[in-house]
Amino acid sequence: MLMLENVHAYYGDSHILHGVSLSVQEGEVVCLLGRNGAGKTTTILTIMGYLKPQPGRIIYQDRDIASLPPYRVARLGFGFVPQERGIFPSLTVAENLTVFARAGAQRRWTVERIFALFPSLKARAGNLGFQLSGGEQQMLSIARALMLNPKLLLLDEPSEGLAPMIVREIIDVLRRLKQEGLAILLVEQNLHTALAVADRHHVMNKGEICFSGTSAELEGNDTVLRTYLSV
Ligand SMILES: Nc1ncnc2c1ncn2[C@@H]1O[C@H](COP(=O)(O)OP(=O)(O)OP(=O)(O)O)[C@@H](O)[C@H]1O
Ligand SMILES: [Mg+2]
C-alpha cells in the first residue's frame, strides 16, 4: 500500500535521510524504531509531503506521491498524528474532533464511534484542549486523525512521555484499530509498545534503515536491540 524506495531528505544543506526503504501492506501495523535523532520524524514528514525526497520514490497505491503537497497527501487517506500532538488548546474536545470533519462522504468514523473507542474523551467532551492531561491530548490527537477516515494512520511516538497505564490504553486502541483492518505506520522508541502492536519492524540509525524484520526476528537480535535501541 505504501512503499518508500531509496528516499533521501535534507533540511537545507543537512543530509538527514540516506536512502530509506520501507513498506506497509494493507491492514498491516509496521513500526519504525530508533533512538533520538535517528530520522524517524523526518521520514514521516517526508511521507506526508512536508519534505521532498531528493532523490527517492514514495509509492502509495501504485502512484508516486513524492511531489504532492501535504494537503493533497492527506486527502489520499493519510491520517497523521504528529509528535507534538497539535490539538487546538482553545477548542473543546468535541470541536477538536469536528473541525476537520468532511461532510458528505460515507463516514466510517463518527463522534459517537470515537467516544466509544475513547470513553475518557467522552467524559471530557466539553473541556478545552489545554485542560486535558498529556494522555488525553494524545488520544484526542489520534481521535482527530480518525475523523478523516484514513486508510493509513501515521503515528509519531504516541506513547512518548506518558505513564505506563496510559500507554496500555493507547496500545489497546491501536490493537482495536488494527482489528478493524486499518494500516498503521507507528514511530516508536519504546520496544514494548512496538512489539505489542506491530507485525513488522524497521530500525533506523543516522538516517538509514539498519534492520527490517518480524517481531520474533527483532526480539531475537541482541545486536540490534543493544546497538540501536538501548535495550
Ligand atoms: N528542522 C530541522 N533542521 C535541521 N535539522 C533538523 C531539523 N529537524 C531535525 N533535524 C535533525 O535531523 C536529524 C533527525 O531528526 P528527527 O527529528 O527525524 O529524529 P527522530 O528519530 O524523530 O528523533 P526523536 O526520537 O528525538 O523524535 C537529527 O539529527 C536532527 O537534529
Ligand atoms: Mg521524532
Side-chain angles (χ1 to χ4, degrees), residues 41 83 156-157:
T41 297
Q83 190 162 12
D156 197 347
E157 298 200 43

Side-chain angles (χ1 to χ4, degrees), residues 124-190:
R124 306 283 253 144
N127 281 101
L128 299 175
F130 79 88
Q131 297 170 315
L132 304 180
S133 69
E136 289 165 343
Q137 288 186 21
Q138 186 63 65
M139 295 198 199
L140 180 55
S141 185
I142 298 172
R144 195 180 56 183
L146 291 174
M147 287 295 287
L148 295 171
N149 292 301
K151 300 187 185 107
L152 173 65
L153 195 58
L154 306 174
L155 297 135
D156 197 347
E157 298 200 43
S159 68
E160 190 181 19
L162 301 179
M165 201 179 75
I166 311 295
V167 173
R168 276 198 294 279
E169 263 183 67
I170 287 179
I171 288 173
D172 194 49
V173 163
L174 296 181
R175 281 184 169 153
R176 284 165 69 178
L177 296 175
K178 178 181 178 175
Q179 275 167 13
E180 294 222 0
L182 188 62
I184 299 176
L185 179 58
L186 171 66
V187 166
E188 263 303 330
Q189 285 201 42
N190 184 324

Side-chain angles (χ1 to χ4, degrees), residues 89-129:
S90 53
L91 297 184
T92 65
V93 166
E95 287 165 348
N96 264 281
L97 288 175
T98 50
V99 69
F100 289 140
R102 281 182 226 123
Q106 81 287 28
R107 305 215 53 85
R108 189 176 163 92
W109 288 97
T110 57
V111 173
E112 294 76 53
R113 279 200 69 210
I114 292 283
F115 282 160
L117 184 64
F118 299 99
S120 52
L121 288 185
K122 183 174 189 183
R124 306 283 253 144
N127 281 101
L128 299 175

